[in-house]
Amino acid sequence: MIKKIVSLITAVAVMLCFTTVFAEDVTLTDIDASHWAYQAITQLVAQKTVNGFPDGTFRPAGTVTTDEFEKMITGVWTTDTPTPISREDALGMLWDNNGKPTGYKVPGIITSQMKNAEAAAWGYATGLMQGNDGVNLRPMDTLTRAEAATLIVRAANGEANGKTFFEMVSEDLLKIVWDTYDIFDGEYVATDIIDAEMLFNAVTKLSDLRTPVLEVKTATMEDAAVLLAHACALQYKSSISANAAESVTEKYGKIAQINAAYSFENGLTLPGAADAAVTKRDAALLLIQLDDLFGINGFKICKDLTLYPANSDDFAFIIEGIPTQVYTTAFDVTRKPVDTYKLAYNFQIPFKTFVSSMAGKLGGKAKFEYIPSLVCQDSSEAILRVKCTMNDASAYEVFGAGYESAGKMFYMDIHTGEPVTNTYIPTETAKFGKFICNN
């Protein structure tokens, strides 16, 4: 008899471990107080906006759909949309449901990630959606039911007291930006102060400005922002205009004034007071924002460190939007692309002329995009890993075996057949190489 009682007590205890009663008519079997989203789910159940599934589960790790998310916000089914909701759409619905708040100021690198800039600013500033690294909101990712519940409750309960962009950005990412631009003296030490000479050297190195054109006497936060914006815009090599150039001092000339005004109008934000001294961390925070606007010669640094391949050190930098396979597929030469980057960057015009000539051999059937950080050369030849866009013909028709699975846009290798030693790169010894992957 005693054994039966002990067994009964044990069975009840086990059931209680897996069953949570939130309200008199709702019992969920797969959530308890140890779950990180327990409090949020509890609140929604108490409000009777969620009830769980007929089998008594909440399925916190399951993907939430658009109609489910709306039901979790309003408590009412108004649609029948089984499509998983994106983080961007979820934040937009929350923003709308919370009265469409405006006036939140965050850098453009954040608001540019979503179509609704006001919703993005509100979500970031309040801490509802800041990403794991303070930069990437992952707008197209889906939400789990637990994540959705937490977002809804935090939005309904008021501001989540989010940290600022300048507090959130990871040091690892800032160091990558610092090292990639490589325009300041010394290694990245966040608290080191940047003086006027260092700032002058940096902007002249980045934009190839000449000393008579520019004189740098101070290095305040505003000086650094204006001059780095000016330098980034110049190396971008595309014309830009500003709506309110007069909002920036003419201290460094009209062109710098316009370039800086354009940057500020597109969300460039100072990490501190305008007259404050500039640290290396401040400079990196300015550069990461400017990179999002201009990039390096038009190519932006990938700011999601989770996408970096294991061999990322083999390249001068990892570019936003380029598939990982482009980096992990070995080049058919002995050296690494990082060792060729200066040559590839300085010889851009000859290299671009070369790939244009190679496209000309195809009679307009394809065009190539030259990417300086994807060039590798040893003593035998240089290999250019390029982005190829097909026009009317298929890749297999033009390039043959190995290209059967290539789509309209993909990456491939072009071999020069001999090392590049001067500004003229002949095409006589060149050949098309292997297919890498689709874009």
Side-chain angles (χ1 to χ4, degrees), residues 30 35 58-64 143-147:
D30 60 347
H35 193 279
F58 182 76
R59 304 176 194 173
T63 302
V64 69
L143 286 170
T144 65
R145 291 170 57 79
E147 289 171 335

Side-chain angles (χ1 to χ4, degrees), residues 141-191:
D141 282 6
T142 56
L143 286 170
T144 65
R145 291 170 57 79
E147 289 171 335
T150 302
L151 274 179
I152 292 166
V153 169
R154 288 170 67 189
N157 289 348
E159 295 192 358
N161 298 318
K163 293 182 179 180
T164 68
F165 171 79
F166 306 112
E167 295 172 304
M168 281 293 296
V169 182
S170 78
E171 286 298 307
D172 288 341
L173 180 54
L174 290 178
K175 185 179 185 306
I176 283 176
V177 171
W178 177 274
D179 290 343
T180 299
Y181 272 80
D182 191 27
I183 55 175
F184 287 98
D185 298 333
E187 295 182 357
Y188 177 74
V189 179
T191 55

Side-chain angles (χ1 to χ4, degrees), residues 1-12:
M1 181 65 178
I2 292 175
K3 288 184 178 180
K4 289 183 179 180
I5 292 174
V6 171
S7 298
L8 180 60
I9 291 172
T10 303
V12 171

Side-chain angles (χ1 to χ4, degrees), residues 390-412:
M390 302 302 300
N391 291 325
D392 296 328
S394 73
Y396 177 70
E397 291 172 342
V398 174
F399 301 111
Y403 283 81
E404 292 86 352
S405 61
K408 183 176 176 59
M409 195 176 295
F410 54 90
Y411 292 85
M412 64 177 293

